[in-house]
Amino acid sequence: MAAAAGAWLRGCAKLRRHMPAHLAPWRVCPRVFRSSKSELRPNLASDGLVCAPLQMFTEEEAMLKDMVAKFAQERVAPFVQKMDENAKMEDSIVQGLFEQGLMSIELGEEYGGTGASFFSIILAVEELAKVDPAVSLVCELQNTLTNKLFTTYGTEEQKRTYLPRVSKDTLGSFCLSEAGSGSDAFSLKTRAEKKGDYYIINGSKMWISLAEDAGVFFVMANTDPSLGYRGITCFIVDRNTEGLHVGKKEDKLGIRACSTCPVTFDNVKVPESSILGQVGQGYKYAIGMLNTGRIGIAAQMLGLAQGCFDRTVPYTKERVQFGKSIFDFQGMQHQIAQVATQLEAARLLTYNAARLAEAGRPAIKEASMAKFFTAEVATLTTSKCIEWMGGVGFTRNYPIEKYYRDCKIGTIYEGTSNIQLSTIAKFLAQEY
C-alpha cells in the first residue's frame, strides 16, 4: 500500500512539473483581457479631462439627441408604414435629414457640416432607428462611410468638389460586394485598366445600399490582379458617368425603404484624378471604414431594439388577463427585465466603442463586439416583443413585426456575425 501511494505521489509531482504555468493552482494569470485593464491618466485635473459615465453627454450631444428624437417622431413616424409597404424612401425625409444637418454631422462647417463629434453620429443613428431603422441607415452610411472616406483619404480638390455636395443634397454609395465576394470581399473581380491618364472600369457589384438614389459611388476595383488584394483601388465615380448602370432594387425582407441594388460598370472611363487615396490601398480603406461603420450599425440595432421594446412594454401593462395586467405576472416581469438588461449591456458596448473611436484609440475588437452583440440583442428583443404582444404583434397593424424583419440584416451586412466573432478571436489570441 505504501509503495503504491508513493508511486501515485511521484506521478502527481511529475504531472505538476509538466503542467502549463497558467494552470498552476491558485496562481494569478499573468495575462489579462485587454478590455478589462484600466489605464491611469496622469494630470487628469490639469489636463481638463473627466472620466464621465458612458451615458453622460455633452450639452451639444444632448441637444442633438433631443432634436433627432423630435425629427423622427414628427417627420419620419407618419411615413414608416407607407415606406415599408412601397419599399420607397419618402423624398421629404431625405431632404429633412440634409436640412437638419444629420447627413454631415462630423463634417467641418467650411464644407457645410455641423462640426459635431463622432459620438453624435451614434446618438443620431440610435434615435432614428427607434422609429425607422431604414431611415437611420441612410444617416449612418452617409456619415460613417461617404463623409469619412472623403475626409480621411480625399485630396483637397476632391474635398472641395464633393463634401459641399454630400452635406447638402447628394447621397454616396459604397460599392464593394460582388456575386462571388461577400465575406471574402477582397476576392472581387471588378477591374480597372489604366489607359494613359485615365482608367477603364468593368465589372458588377451586388447588394449596394442607397444605389437607387446615390449621386456618387465609391467603387472598389482591382488595377493589378497579379497583386491580389493589394491591387484593389478605390475610385470616385459620379452617377451620370457613361457606362454606370444601377439595376432593379432588391425586394427585401426588411429595411425595405432603403434601396439595395446591383450596379454594373461597362467600360466606365474615369480620370486618374478620381482615385481616392493611393493605388492599391483600397483594401485598407475598406477595412478602416467598415470598422467605424460597424459601430454605426451597432447603434442602428440598439435603437431598433429599444424602439421595439418601448412600444411593447406599455402594452403589457395595459393588457389584462386573469384579472390583472400581463406585466404583473412574475414570469413576464423576469423576461422583460432580462431583455432590459441585455439592452443596457448593448448600449454600453456601443457607446464605449464609439468613445474609443472618437478618441483615436484602437477599437477594432470593441466595434466587432458591439456589432455582434447588438445584432443578437435586437433579434432576441424583437422576437420576445412579438410573443408579449401575442396575436396583435403578429399582424402588420402594429410596427412590432417590422422591427422583427428589420433586425435580421444586422447579422449580415458590414460583416456577418461569424466574421465579427473571428475578428474578436484574432485579437484574443494576440492578447493571451
Side-chain angles (χ1 to χ4, degrees):
M1 177 68 73
W8 181 80
L9 289 172
R10 286 192 297 274
C12 289
K14 184 177 180 181
L15 179 63
R16 282 195 296 271
R17 285 196 297 273
H18 294 283
M19 185 181 295
H22 65 274
L23 290 181
W26 304 108
R27 178 179 175 136
V28 176
C29 181
R31 297 180 181 272
V32 66
F33 190 44
R34 185 172 65 84
S35 294
S36 68
K37 292 181 180 178
S38 59
E39 296 185 21
L40 293 176
R41 286 193 166 182
N43 303 319
L44 192 63
S46 62
D47 290 343
L49 298 173
V50 178
C51 293
L54 285 171
Q55 296 197 60
M56 285 187 68
F57 311 136
T58 65
E59 183 178 355
E60 291 78 9
E61 290 167 348
M63 289 175 61
L64 180 134
K65 184 176 187 293
D66 292 341
M67 181 271 284
V68 176
K70 183 179 180 181
F71 174 85
Q73 288 297 329
E74 295 179 356
R75 302 278 296 273
V76 178
F79 297 100
V80 173
Q81 186 175 15
K82 174 187 173 183
M83 292 191 300
D84 181 62
E85 291 174 352
N86 297 339
K88 175 67 177 176
M89 185 71 65
E90 189 73 19
D91 290 339
S92 64
I93 290 178
V94 177
Q95 181 182 351
L97 290 172
F98 278 112
E99 290 174 350
Q100 297 295 321
L102 297 178
M103 301 294 266
S104 54
I105 294 173
E106 208 179 3
L107 284 185
E109 295 181 5
E110 67 272 25
Y111 299 117
T114 58
S117 63
F118 174 74
F119 193 78
S120 295
I121 298 173
I122 301 307
L123 292 177
V125 171
E126 180 186 358
E127 289 302 317
L128 289 170
K130 290 178 182 179
V131 175
D132 191 352
V135 174
S136 78
L137 183 63
V138 177
C139 174
E140 192 275 332
L141 291 175
Q142 188 82 349
N143 281 284
T144 68
L145 284 179
T146 295
N147 298 347
K148 278 276 188 185
L149 280 166
F150 278 129
T151 57
T152 307
Y153 304 112
T155 63
E156 289 304 314
E157 181 181 355
Q158 289 169 344
K159 291 177 183 178
R160 287 194 301 270
T161 300
Y162 289 101
L163 287 179
R165 289 173 55 188
V166 297
S167 69
K168 181 180 179 182
D169 57 15
T170 302
L171 292 175
S173 187
F174 185 65
C175 301
L176 176 63
S177 297
E178 298 180 4
S181 59
S183 292
D184 184 15
F186 298 146
S187 63
L188 58 84
K189 302 299 182 184
T190 299
R191 300 289 181 253
E193 184 179 0
K194 193 171 187 338
K195 297 282 188 177
D197 60 352
Y198 60 89
Y199 284 82
I200 302 295
I201 302 175
N202 282 285
S204 60
K205 301 290 183 177
M206 287 190 71
W207 320 119
I208 305 306
S209 298
L210 307 183
E212 184 179 41
D213 301 303
V216 61
F217 296 82
F218 297 96
V219 183
M220 292 294 178
N222 203 316
T223 57
D224 188 350
S226 67
L227 297 176
Y229 68 89
R230 295 183 183 277
I232 296 175
T233 302
C234 183
F235 292 87
I236 304 168
V237 183
D238 285 311
R239 185 184 186 88
N240 58 5
T241 304
E242 185 177 357
L244 187 156
H245 305 285
V246 177
K248 181 181 177 181
K249 65 183 175 185
E250 304 292 344
D251 188 9
K252 299 178 296 184
L253 171 71
I255 315 289
R256 291 173 53 78
C258 186
S259 67
T260 302
C261 310
V263 182
T264 58
F265 304 89
D266 184 12
N267 290 322
V268 172
K269 182 178 178 180
V270 293
E272 194 169 4
S273 61
S274 70
I275 292 175
L276 184 73
Q278 299 178 8
V279 174
Q281 297 296 300
Y283 73 99
K284 289 184 179 180
Y285 306 158
I287 290 173
M289 292 301 103
L290 289 175
N291 285 331
T292 304
R294 285 165 183 166
I295 306 174
I297 297 303
Q300 181 199 32
M301 290 295 112
L302 171 62
L304 181 160
Q306 188 68 62
C308 187
F309 188 79
D310 291 345
R311 287 176 176 268
T312 304
V313 173
Y315 175 86
T316 68
K317 301 184 76 173
E318 296 172 1
R319 172 70 168 164
V320 175
Q321 290 288 276
F322 304 102
K324 61 180 179 180
S325 72
I326 60 175
F327 181 88
D328 288 334
F329 288 93
Q330 188 181 61
M332 282 291 295
Q333 291 177 345
H334 287 183
Q335 292 181 56
I336 293 170
Q338 182 180 16
V339 170
T341 303
Q342 297 272 56
L343 282 168
E344 190 70 3
R347 179 168 289 104
L348 295 176
L349 271 175
T350 303
Y351 286 7
N352 180 59
R355 289 298 192 195
L356 285 172
E358 183 176 75
R361 304 296 300 278
I364 297 174
K365 182 184 73 176
E366 289 76 10
S368 288
M369 286 180 165
K371 183 183 182 294
F372 167 76
F373 190 71
T374 53
E376 295 293 304
V377 170
T379 302
L380 168 69
T381 302
T382 55
S383 178
K384 283 295 182 182
C385 285
I386 289 178
E387 293 176 18
W388 300 339
M389 293 279 286
V392 296
F394 198 66
T395 69
R396 295 205 171 189
N397 295 326
Y398 292 84
I400 308 305
E401 61 83 30
K402 179 182 179 297
Y403 287 113
Y404 183 73
R405 288 185 286 111
D406 285 349
C407 82
K408 191 58 202 172
I409 192 63
T411 65
I412 301 172
Y413 62 10
E414 296 210 25
T416 65
S417 288
N418 281 341
I419 290 295
Q420 306 312 314
L421 292 173
S422 293
T423 299
I424 296 165
K426 180 178 73 175
F427 277 88
L428 291 178
Q430 294 171 358
E431 292 169 14
Y432 286 91

